[in-house]
Amino acid sequence: MGAKGRRLPRAVREQQMLDAAVTTFGQRGYRAASMDEIAEAAGVSKPLVYLYLNSKDDLFGACVRREAEALVGAVRAAVEDGPPDRQLWSGLRGFFAHAAGSPDGWAVLYLHARTHGEPFARDFVAMREEIVTYVTRLIAEAARASDCEPKPDEREVSGLAHALVGAAESLAGWMNCGARDGAPSAKEAAGLLMNFAWAGLDNLMQGRPWSPTR
Amino acid sequence: MGAKGRRLPRAVREQQMLDAAVTTFGQRGYRAASMDEIAEAAGVSKPLVYLYLNSKDDLFGACVRREAEALVGAVRAAVEDGPPDRQLWSGLRGFFAHAAGSPDGWAVLYLHARTHGEPFARDFVAMREEIVTYVTRLIAEAARASDCEPKPDEREVSGLAHALVGAAESLAGWMNCGARDGAPSAKEAAGLLMNFAWAGLDNLMQGRPWSPTR
Amino acid sequence: MGAKGRRLPRAVREQQMLDAAVTTFGQRGYRAASMDEIAEAAGVSKPLVYLYLNSKDDLFGACVRREAEALVGAVRAAVEDGPPDRQLWSGLRGFFAHAAGSPDGWAVLYLHARTHGEPFARDFVAMREEIVTYVTRLIAEAARASDCEPKPDEREVSGLAHALVGAAESLAGWMNCGARDGAPSAKEAAGLLMNFAWAGLDNLMQGRPWSPTR
Amino acid sequence: MGAKGRRLPRAVREQQMLDAAVTTFGQRGYRAASMDEIAEAAGVSKPLVYLYLNSKDDLFGACVRREAEALVGAVRAAVEDGPPDRQLWSGLRGFFAHAAGSPDGWAVLYLHARTHGEPFARDFVAMREEIVTYVTRLIAEAARASDCEPKPDEREVSGLAHALVGAAESLAGWMNCGARDGAPSAKEAAGLLMNFAWAGLDNLMQGRPWSPTR
DNA sequence: TATGAATGAGCTTTCATTCAT
DNA sequence: CATGAATGAAAGCTCATTCAT
């Protein structure tokens, strides 16, 4: 394979392999991705991938965990780096930016880990739960800060968080999943979601839910 | 396989095969589903599957098209069968009911066709577009009927339709994808979505969008 | 693979495969024998071997069972076909003749099944036990017929059977295992063994065992 | 790894490697034993094994030769250390004691070298021949010492030696090969074999062979 | 001297696909 | 119409072996 960076320390090679694996798994899916392809994309031979990462399952698991941590970390960092009175908005932007910035990682999590059964789906659900919990806290803080009355019930806030996260994921999927027509940028997606949701959240928090009978 | 259902007319046999294929593809995914498994599930021999449906790809394509038409048809039928002043609500209920009623078909479309690359992803996107367009029309009619001022701009309505459909898909995925915690029924999902979204749509249509600066 | 007997019924193909597998396993051992080699020796493609016989382990197991039955059957048949007053001699000749006639089957049992661990070693031990039990009965009958006094104790007879069988196996191994110098024919081996052992057996049965002190 | 026994003289290292190799080859067989496993068992790195012993084949060959010499040596030493009028008995006891004391070495010779084809089977046969020749001499001397008449013919003595050695090997195999039922100790095995064989040898040497016709 | 890094080649197994009947 | 028989091609994984330090 030529003189391309041979004989590197293990940690470096492992990252190369994970990068290649995320790309390949993200684009092809677990089954369709072959270890040959991943090894070639990483610029190493297949046995080395097995030596360092054990098996296709272990490799996929490592990808899932790495990407899950990266996504959660991106949201947290965005919130912490943004203005304290706009945490939800910052978090959403961070979420969309990360999703747009690493579409393969996003696909690994939301398209493949989710559908590939037990060890992985569990990791995925855990990550999702972590985000939802975090968003629940952000919403609750926003509600407290805005002094809305009556104080929204905790269960309700959690439901809103689920819905909000679900909507964000859906938009991110639209963004990433190869839609050719007017797919929005990360910033537009965040705006659209706030537009779509905020008044609803707001009204709900005022105790005025929409109901089928009006 | 003895005398079990032999010599059926071609159309019937084909439906059996498609049923079996949708179930198998839906549960296992494209790659993990084997033609052996599908043929056995359909109660026919493998060569017959090839005789009628040509190849694994063609078979999958037929599944995707059949399920896409079924989903779009279910939404349309629900709207047409419902009260004329609640078309959106009826459509959503139809959407969720269909998704809940044929989870394998849903999985074929949203989990597998979407991720399996070109001929199928295109079919999927076309179906999605059809739904979004249809929803756009429903929203526009609702707006016209409610005489809101100023008339919402067309591009905006389309964005809302995308968001609404995306949110609905996300909820349907939650419903179907083996979520252990409180996954909602089809009816609850529709209510939740209207609750979440309607006030937002309403406000937007009154010309009062949320904006990052307040 | 040319026109060599294609499209044969399953039972026939299975025997071809077992034949080839016994040859290959016998000559190379379990690990060194490759499924490619076996398939080629059988004149079929590898997938057909898997279709009919499932896995390398199952194939090996089938070989072991077939050869075990063949060996036991050969001994039994030789005894039944021989003169009723020379059953042990007939049985030994049958044993050596079978071992010499199918050295690969013999190697599968005595060289490979025996050393390849649990499911197979158990089958091997069961077969060996069957032979030892049978020989025990033959010896007991011979003793009864010859009216020897004192009647040999049952446990002693069983020990003699073990020793006799062991010696026979050892001679058969010598016969089969590629020894180039004066390896005996089946008939010679039987004679040698009787020569070697009979007087000993005889004396023992007369209650005059050899002892270290004279 | 670390500071565990580094910088040992070459001869010591080589013995460690051979010890580990004999253990591993004996328990797993040639093919199933991996160089990784052997290197780890020896507490050294794999390249060092190659540096000292060249290749897997060479390593196996070294094991075979070492164990063959050890076995022959054990028999010779037992004979020389025992009473001059019981050489055969001493030799047998030495044989069984050695086999029981180093079962892995025994397995390397009798289970694996014997079945692994040419360079090794030749070494094995050479060793066996050496033992048989030695035993032939012992028997001949015993016959001379006991003044039996007529002098047994040389070829006959050689055949007896083969049979005796074969029986001993068979018993040793029974002893070592994980037999669950009443496998004998080394001493019992020697007694059993003498019991079984001596009267036969004795009679033969008196010129009274057993013959098929009575 | 001794080793971490790396690979070519081969093995078992699976699967979409096609004949011949 | 319908199927049992058969295979080419590829995938996951392992292992003996060699560099570069």
Side-chain angles (χ1 to χ4, degrees):
Chain A
M1 307 259 155
K4 169 96 149 311
R6 278 174 159 233
R7 220 50 60 153
L8 296 180
R10 172 166 183 155
V12 175
R13 278 284 193 239
E14 263 188 31
Q15 287 310 311
Q16 290 180 347
M17 289 177 196
L18 286 177
D19 291 345
V22 166
T23 303
T24 311
F25 282 135
Q27 280 165 6
R28 294 246 194 291
Y30 179 85
R31 290 287 301 235
S34 85
M35 292 299 269
D36 272 301
E37 200 180 355
I38 292 171
E40 189 175 10
V44 298
S45 70
K46 219 183 348 171
L48 200 58
V49 180
Y50 279 91
L51 186 61
Y52 286 175
L53 286 136
N54 251 350
S55 74
K56 197 184 186 185
D57 263 40
D58 283 5
L59 175 56
F60 189 61
C63 291
V64 170
R65 279 191 302 282
R66 194 182 80 164
E67 294 307 313
E69 276 168 29
L71 177 52
V72 172
V75 173
R76 289 211 140 97
V79 168
E80 278 156 26
D81 291 358
D85 59 336
R86 297 195 113 50
Q87 295 187 320
L88 204 46
W89 163 250
S90 304
L92 278 177
R93 291 212 46 188
F95 182 84
F96 286 117
H98 182 82
S102 67
D104 292 328
W106 193 84
V108 165
L109 293 174
Y110 278 89
L111 263 28
H112 307 308
R114 184 187 225 157
T115 54
H116 192 256
E118 253 336 290
F120 314 114
R122 194 166 16 244
D123 286 349
F124 172 80
V125 167
M127 176 210 69
R128 207 174 180 280
E129 217 107 299
E130 195 174 341
I131 295 188
V132 168
T133 303
Y134 188 64
V135 168
T136 304
R137 224 187 69 210
L138 294 186
I139 295 180
E141 276 173 20
R144 202 173 317 123
S146 76
D147 268 332
C148 69
E149 284 297 337
K151 293 291 183 206
D153 139 48
E154 197 173 314
R155 193 170 135 61
E156 201 174 39
V157 172
S158 166
L160 292 175
H162 263 110
L164 187 61
V165 169
E169 289 165 347
S170 169
L171 275 174
W174 183 24
M175 235 170 53
N176 277 334
C177 238
R180 263 147 305 279
D181 66 353
S185 71
K187 188 172 179 184
E188 286 166 345
L192 184 57
L193 181 55
M194 290 302 268
N195 250 354
F196 175 68
W198 195 252
L201 292 173
D202 210 34
N203 279 344
L204 285 169
M205 289 190 212
Q206 315 296 331
R208 297 189 274 111
W210 174 93
S211 98
T213 58
R214 170 90 331 226
Chain B
M1 309 274 151
K4 168 99 149 311
R6 275 163 154 250
R7 295 290 146 159
L8 294 180
R10 170 161 184 151
V12 176
R13 278 272 197 247
E14 259 186 39
Q15 287 308 310
Q16 288 179 353
M17 290 177 195
L18 285 177
D19 290 344
V22 167
T23 303
T24 310
F25 283 135
Q27 282 166 3
R28 293 244 195 293
Y30 179 84
R31 290 286 301 235
S34 82
M35 293 299 268
D36 273 299
E37 199 178 356
I38 292 170
E40 187 177 10
V44 299
S45 71
K46 226 181 344 173
L48 199 59
V49 179
Y50 279 88
L51 186 62
Y52 283 180
L53 286 138
N54 231 10
S55 76
K56 196 184 187 184
D57 266 37
D58 284 3
L59 175 55
F60 188 62
C63 290
V64 170
R65 280 191 302 281
R66 192 183 83 165
E67 294 306 314
E69 277 168 28
L71 177 54
V72 173
V75 173
R76 292 210 139 96
V79 169
E80 279 156 26
D81 291 359
D85 59 337
R86 299 196 110 48
Q87 294 187 319
L88 204 47
W89 163 249
S90 303
L92 277 176
R93 290 213 47 188
F95 181 84
F96 287 117
H98 182 83
S102 68
D104 292 329
W106 193 84
V108 165
L109 294 173
Y110 278 89
L111 263 29
H112 307 308
R114 182 188 225 159
T115 59
H116 192 256
E118 252 338 288
F120 314 112
R122 193 165 19 242
D123 287 347
F124 172 80
V125 167
M127 175 210 71
R128 204 174 182 279
E129 217 105 301
E130 196 175 341
I131 294 187
V132 169
T133 305
Y134 187 63
V135 167
T136 305
R137 225 186 67 213
L138 294 186
I139 294 179
E141 278 173 18
R144 205 173 314 121
S146 75
D147 266 335
C148 68
E149 282 297 338
K151 293 293 182 205
D153 133 50
E154 197 172 314
R155 191 169 138 62
E156 200 174 42
V157 171
S158 166
L160 290 175
H162 263 110
L164 187 60
V165 168
E169 289 166 346
S170 170
L171 275 174
W174 186 23
M175 239 169 50
N176 276 336
C177 236
R180 269 145 301 281
D181 63 358
S185 71
K187 189 174 178 185
E188 288 166 343
L192 185 57
L193 182 55
M194 292 302 270
N195 237 355
F196 176 69
W198 195 252
L201 293 173
D202 209 34
N203 278 344
L204 286 169
M205 290 188 211
Q206 311 300 329
R208 296 190 275 113
W210 174 93
S211 98
T213 57
R214 170 94 326 229
Chain C
M1 306 263 157
K4 168 96 150 311
R6 278 173 158 238
R7 221 50 58 156
L8 296 180
R10 172 164 182 155
V12 176
R13 279 283 193 238
E14 264 187 31
Q15 287 310 310
Q16 291 181 346
M17 289 175 196
L18 285 178
D19 291 345
V22 167
T23 303
T24 311
F25 282 135
Q27 281 165 6
R28 295 247 194 289
Y30 179 86
R31 292 284 304 235
S34 86
M35 292 299 268
D36 271 300
E37 199 179 355
I38 292 170
E40 188 175 9
V44 299
S45 72
K46 221 182 348 170
L48 201 58
V49 180
Y50 279 90
L51 187 60
Y52 285 175
L53 285 138
N54 251 351
S55 73
K56 197 184 185 184
D57 263 41
D58 283 5
L59 175 56
F60 188 61
C63 292
V64 170
R65 280 190 302 281
R66 194 182 81 165
E67 294 307 313
E69 276 169 28
L71 177 53
V72 173
V75 173
R76 289 210 141 96
V79 169
E80 279 155 27
D81 291 358
D85 59 337
R86 297 196 113 47
Q87 295 187 318
L88 203 47
W89 163 250
S90 303
L92 278 175
R93 291 211 49 187
F95 182 85
F96 287 116
H98 183 83
S102 67
D104 293 328
W106 192 84
V108 165
L109 293 175
Y110 278 87
L111 263 27
H112 307 306
R114 181 187 227 157
T115 55
H116 192 256
E118 253 334 291
F120 314 114
R122 197 168 11 246
D123 287 348
F124 173 79
V125 168
M127 177 211 69
R128 208 174 179 279
E129 218 109 297
E130 197 175 339
I131 294 188
V132 169
T133 304
Y134 188 64
V135 167
T136 304
R137 226 187 66 211
L138 295 186
I139 294 181
E141 277 174 20
R144 204 174 314 124
S146 75
D147 266 333
C148 68
E149 282 299 337
K151 293 290 181 206
D153 142 48
E154 197 173 314
R155 194 169 133 59
E156 203 174 39
V157 172
S158 166
L160 291 175
H162 264 108
L164 187 60
V165 169
E169 290 166 347
S170 170
L171 275 174
W174 184 27
M175 236 169 53
N176 277 334
C177 237
R180 262 148 306 279
D181 65 356
S185 72
K187 188 172 178 185
E188 289 166 344
L192 184 56
L193 182 54
M194 291 302 270
N195 248 355
F196 176 68
W198 195 251
L201 292 173
D202 210 35
N203 279 345
L204 286 169
M205 288 188 213
Q206 313 296 330
R208 296 190 273 111
W210 174 94
S211 97
T213 58
R214 171 98 322 229
Chain D
M1 315 279 153
K4 169 96 151 308
R6 274 161 156 252
R7 296 289 148 158
L8 294 181
R10 171 161 185 153
V12 176
R13 279 272 197 249
E14 259 188 38
Q15 286 309 310
Q16 287 179 355
M17 290 177 197
L18 285 178
D19 290 344
V22 167
T23 302
T24 311
F25 282 135
Q27 282 166 4
R28 294 244 195 292
Y30 179 85
R31 291 287 300 235
S34 80
M35 293 299 269
D36 273 298
E37 201 178 354
I38 292 171
E40 189 176 10
V44 301
S45 71
K46 226 181 342 172
L48 199 58
V49 180
Y50 279 89
L51 187 61
Y52 282 1
L53 285 139
N54 233 8
S55 76
K56 197 186 186 183
D57 265 37
D58 284 3
L59 174 56
F60 188 61
C63 291
V64 170
R65 279 191 302 281
R66 192 182 83 165
E67 294 305 313
E69 278 168 26
L71 177 53
V72 173
V75 173
R76 290 209 141 97
V79 169
E80 280 155 27
D81 292 356
D85 60 335
R86 298 196 111 49
Q87 296 187 318
L88 203 47
W89 163 249
S90 302
L92 277 176
R93 291 212 48 187
F95 182 85
F96 286 118
H98 183 82
S102 67
D104 291 330
W106 193 85
V108 165
L109 293 174
Y110 278 87
L111 264 27
H112 307 308
R114 181 187 226 159
T115 59
H116 191 256
E118 254 336 293
F120 313 113
R122 195 167 14 244
D123 287 347
F124 172 80
V125 167
M127 174 209 72
R128 204 175 182 279
E129 216 102 303
E130 196 175 340
I131 294 186
V132 169
T133 304
Y134 188 64
V135 167
T136 304
R137 225 187 66 211
L138 295 185
I139 294 180
E141 279 172 18
R144 203 172 317 123
S146 75
D147 267 332
C148 67
E149 282 299 336
K151 292 293 179 201
D153 130 55
E154 198 172 316
R155 192 169 136 62
E156 200 174 42
V157 172
S158 168
L160 291 176
H162 263 111
L164 187 60
V165 169
E169 290 165 347
S170 171
L171 274 174
W174 185 23
M175 240 171 48
N176 276 336
C177 235
R180 270 145 302 278
D181 61 359
S185 71
K187 189 174 178 184
E188 288 166 344
L192 185 57
L193 182 54
M194 292 302 270
N195 239 353
F196 176 68
W198 198 252
L201 293 173
D202 211 33
N203 279 343
L204 285 169
M205 289 189 214
Q206 313 298 329
R208 297 189 274 111
W210 174 93
S211 97
T213 58
R214 171 94 325 227

